[in-house]
Amino acid sequence: MLFDRAAVLVAVTADIKMFGQTSIIRNLPAYALPVTKSELYVYASVALFVVIWCRMRWQFRHFYRLADKIKGPPSYPLNGSLYDLSTTPEQMMYNFKKSAENYDYEPVKLWIGPFLFVGVYKPEDVQIVLNSSKALEKGIIYHIIRHAVGEGIFTAPIEKWRKHRRIIATIFSSKFLDQLYPIFNENNRKLVDDLANHVGETQPFDIWDSIISCNLNNVSQAAMGYNLNDRRTLSEFVLAMKKVSELSKYIMKPWLYIDQIFSIYTYFNGLKVYMNQLDRVSLQIIRDKKLEFKTSESQRSDDKSSGNVADDYKTSTKVFLDKLLKLNSEGADFTDEDLKDEVITMAVAGSDTSAISECFCVLLLGMHQDVQDKVYDEIYSVLGDSDRDVTPDDIYRFKYLEMVLKETLRLFPPGAIFSRIINENVKLTNCELPKGSNVFVAPYVTHRCPKLYPNPDSFNPENFSPENESSRHKFSFLAFSGGPRGCLGVKYAMISMKLMMVALLRRYSVHTDSKLSDIKLKIDLLAKKADGYPITIRPRNRIPRDIVV
């Protein structure tokens, strides 16, 4: 039709010159009337859309071929699968689980606008993706998360990650972690003392504020050497970190992946202020610490030249930032921006993630008094009636507590979903992912597969007994990711969580009216309970029934 009208216009133009406009137009068919300017715009837009669509179909033909081979929810033009998968992260996660169940945990396709994502759930396929050197690049969803936490080791592009991981991996040694015990023990004592105000209350209180405050103190001292109670600057840091963490709720809005649009959006909703504040405070802390490090190095050099190294230098706690500055002085070549990104990454990873898991653990123990009794019996078998601090030699004796923590992380992994970009073709168990594919792994979904965990929606620490754990595929538990880009802070997290749970349960028993089936998740940067963690506490005043050896 468009070409017919164009041909007629050429003929009409010639005829008008010979016979006059009125008589000619009166005898033309309706579809052959001259095209108005607005019609031309419509036709041009349609033609442009067709050209762009054809170009995309050709450019991404290997993705369309892949999409034809694997199952998934129906897709619609422009919106992809969003009509079927809600744009809220919480509903998205539940729908991921449902689609995995519908397709027997085989790879599932999901279109988000023009982007094809492939969900990988089976441990065998997850292992292939996470262990592959062809899938080390973080996925497109991290483009927004980088605005929240920078390009630390968690979100860094592959080349930057290779360099930083090799350096940072040397920090998380047993020696480094052992010196943090006094920090953890001191802050845990403050936590249980503060909770005494709630003893005897019949109305539940939300334990989140108390636990996150303790964790923020832990990580601020372990990462930067500062105590939140002593510095107003750190309070600003915490507020900015909380606000900026809200950025990840926009990962399902593809238009915000365009930097210019994202910048305008965050300016008008006020998040830009907190992003700038987080950068400013972090850089100020780093400048202060660099000056302190330079002074201590100078002092140490003077002491060595006189043959005397100060005892306080030998015994002082060397925190994460100290270690980074030390490595920098030895040639690591971290810029202030690099240091800032790594400090923010550790602050987020070491506070919110641990706090979420601890709160869920307390809540689940309140629901399951029999499990709580077994945990307390184990604590008593190690520490007895003493009030002494927990030491590195004690920590590995809390084996049942570790099972409880792992089961908590199975049910409610803080990192409920993460993604990778395939840089070269990768063959899964029943299909091949072409170069450029966006792959997402969802621990929340894999952890609830009934073939891996019987009665997957129930709380059962025996899932992590040595026998059961050894019988499952290694990649059936993904709370700390896996492969080369797995979490470096696994030991830090487990130690800090164990120490807090021991301190809390030595002093109190916890109780709740909440039900496991009623828990709803809220997902921003991490997955947490939507409406808090309501508990009541009572003082411990009994000798355990059975002493666990």
Side-chain angles (χ1 to χ4, degrees):
M1 181 73 71
L2 177 63
F3 298 107
D4 288 344
R5 296 194 68 157
V8 169
L9 279 174
V10 174
V12 167
T13 303
D15 289 344
I16 286 174
K17 291 178 181 179
M18 296 176 60
F19 304 107
Q21 178 176 349
T22 304
S23 60
I24 295 297
I25 292 180
R26 185 181 298 122
N27 296 318
L28 285 175
Y31 80 86
L33 291 174
V35 180
T36 65
K37 183 179 292 187
S38 60
E39 286 180 312
L40 280 174
Y41 286 141
V42 172
Y43 290 138
S45 299
V46 170
L48 180 62
F49 175 82
V50 171
V51 170
I52 293 174
W53 183 83
C54 291
R55 184 177 184 278
M56 287 181 60
R57 292 288 299 190
W58 174 254
Q59 183 178 356
F60 301 120
R61 60 193 181 281
H62 45 295
F63 295 142
Y64 289 104
R65 283 198 293 265
L66 172 64
D68 289 338
K69 295 177 183 177
I70 59 179
K71 299 176 182 179
S75 176
Y76 301 89
L78 299 180
N79 288 280
S81 304
L82 291 184
Y83 286 129
D84 295 271
L85 296 178
S86 172
T87 54
T88 65
E90 299 81 21
Q91 291 175 330
M92 176 188 74
M93 187 55 58
Y94 292 126
N95 282 317
F96 281 166
K97 181 176 179 290
K98 184 178 179 180
S99 66
E101 293 168 349
N102 290 342
Y103 302 115
D104 197 29
Y105 292 86
E106 294 296 335
V108 176
K109 65 182 174 184
L110 168 66
W111 289 96
I112 301 180
F115 304 110
L116 175 65
F117 285 77
V118 178
V120 176
Y121 306 117
K122 289 195 309 185
E124 295 81 3
D125 287 334
V126 172
Q127 180 178 25
I128 292 170
V129 171
L130 296 186
N131 273 347
S132 176
S133 61
K134 305 170 185 176
L136 292 175
E137 193 71 75
K138 291 294 182 84
I140 191 171
I141 64 174
Y142 290 85
H143 186 76
I144 284 181
I145 298 176
R146 285 187 184 110
H147 289 291
V149 298
E151 290 188 351
I153 197 167
F154 174 65
T155 57
I158 188 168
E159 291 306 318
K160 189 173 184 179
W161 167 81
R162 287 185 195 278
K163 172 189 171 185
H164 287 195
R165 181 184 173 90
R166 188 169 56 250
I167 296 168
I168 292 173
T170 64
I171 294 178
F172 288 95
S173 63
S174 296
K175 184 178 180 181
F176 170 72
L177 295 173
D178 287 352
Q179 63 160 355
L180 300 180
Y181 276 66
I183 293 174
F184 296 148
N185 285 323
E186 179 188 358
N187 288 321
N188 288 335
R189 277 194 298 273
K190 293 177 182 176
L191 168 68
V192 295
D193 287 344
D194 291 342
L195 289 176
N197 296 323
H198 296 284
V199 171
E201 293 180 349
T202 56
Q203 289 299 314
F205 70 97
D206 187 356
I207 199 171
W208 169 259
D209 287 340
S210 298
I211 285 185
I212 188 61
S213 296
C214 181
N215 275 280
L216 287 168
N217 263 312
N218 281 339
V219 79
S220 64
Q221 292 175 64
M224 298 170 281
Y226 288 136
N227 191 316
L228 285 178
N229 296 326
D230 299 334
R231 290 187 62 92
R232 180 182 174 185
T233 301
L234 266 296
S235 297
E236 294 180 38
F237 177 85
V238 171
L239 175 61
M241 190 171 68
K242 286 180 179 178
K243 292 292 186 180
V244 171
S245 70
E246 296 173 5
L247 284 173
S248 62
K249 67 185 178 184
Y250 302 123
I251 62 174
M252 287 296 291
K253 303 184 187 302
W255 53 89
L256 291 179
Y257 286 52
I258 301 171
D259 287 343
Q260 293 83 351
I261 294 177
F262 180 86
S263 182
I264 294 170
Y265 185 83
T266 54
Y267 175 81
F268 281 106
N269 70 7
L271 278 173
K272 192 73 173 178
V273 173
Y274 292 105
M275 292 166 63
N276 293 337
Q277 181 175 312
L278 188 62
D279 284 353
R280 176 179 55 78
V281 174
S282 301
L283 290 170
Q284 181 59 52
I285 291 170
I286 287 166
R287 283 191 288 269
D288 291 346
K289 201 68 178 175
K290 285 177 79 171
L291 181 60
E292 179 185 318
F293 177 81
K294 185 176 180 180
T295 302
S296 66
E297 284 292 289
S298 176
Q299 180 64 45
R300 186 185 180 202
S301 178
D302 292 343
D303 289 339
K304 285 183 70 176
S305 64
S306 62
N308 179 32
V309 178
D311 289 338
D312 61 345
Y313 180 86
K314 292 179 181 179
T315 59
S316 62
T317 301
K318 301 300 184 293
V319 300
F320 182 71
L321 187 50
D322 289 326
K323 294 284 189 178
L324 284 177
L325 293 173
K326 176 69 174 170
L327 290 168
N328 229 20
S329 70
E330 296 170 354
D333 196 27
F334 283 94
T335 65
D336 281 1
E337 193 73 16
D338 293 336
L339 293 171
K340 178 206 73 175
D341 290 347
E342 298 301 347
V343 165
I344 292 174
T345 296
M346 183 175 176
V348 173
S351 57
D352 272 31
T353 53
S354 294
I356 290 168
S357 300
E358 288 153 356
C359 286
F360 270 123
C361 188
V362 170
L363 198 65
L364 290 167
L365 290 176
M367 297 175 189
H368 301 84
Q369 291 296 314
D370 56 331
V371 176
Q372 185 178 166
D373 288 342
K374 289 184 69 174
V375 174
Y376 179 72
D377 290 351
E378 181 179 70
I379 293 171
Y380 191 90
S381 73
V382 175
L383 301 172
D385 287 323
S386 72
D387 290 326
R388 70 175 177 83
D389 286 343
V390 181
T391 68
D393 291 335
D394 298 323
I395 202 72
Y396 300 105
R397 298 175 64 187
F398 299 115
K399 298 185 183 300
Y400 187 70
L401 174 57
E402 183 167 323
M403 291 164 56
V404 169
L405 286 167
K406 285 183 176 180
E407 177 67 353
T408 301
L409 288 164
R410 180 189 73 81
L411 284 171
F412 303 108
I417 183 170
F418 47 89
S419 72
R420 297 284 190 273
I421 294 177
I422 305 300
N423 290 327
E424 295 181 32
N425 290 11
V426 171
K427 187 171 180 57
L428 301 182
T429 53
N430 66 353
C431 68
E432 185 173 60
L433 301 175
K435 177 181 178 181
S437 297
N438 284 284
V439 179
F440 65 82
V441 176
Y444 179 87
V445 177
T446 299
H447 289 179
R448 291 176 184 252
C449 174
K451 293 180 180 178
L452 301 173
Y453 300 96
N455 301 313
D457 294 323
S458 63
F459 177 67
N460 179 19
E462 291 302 323
N463 281 323
F464 291 92
S465 67
E467 299 78 18
N468 288 331
E469 198 168 16
S470 63
S471 67
R472 282 193 307 272
H473 195 285
K474 180 181 178 181
F475 281 77
S476 61
F477 182 66
L478 303 165
F480 299 100
S481 186
R485 293 207 77 159
C487 177
L488 285 176
V490 176
K491 290 183 178 179
Y492 174 97
M494 290 304 295
I495 289 171
S496 65
M497 288 191 292
K498 280 185 179 181
L499 289 174
M500 179 179 287
M501 298 309 300
V502 168
L504 184 61
L505 295 173
R506 282 171 91 178
R507 189 90 167 257
Y508 307 111
S509 63
V510 296
H511 308 268
T512 186
D513 293 327
S514 299
K515 306 296 182 186
L516 183 55
S517 58
D518 295 335
I519 291 177
K520 303 297 181 186
L521 293 181
K522 173 187 175 183
I523 302 176
D524 40 45
L525 187 59
L526 301 166
K528 60 186 72 172
K529 190 168 178 287
D531 52 357
Y533 307 84
I535 65 164
T536 58
I537 58 174
R538 301 171 193 166
R540 289 276 181 194
N541 54 7
R542 68 178 183 86
I543 299 296
R545 298 162 293 108
D546 299 300
I547 302 300
V548 180
V549 179

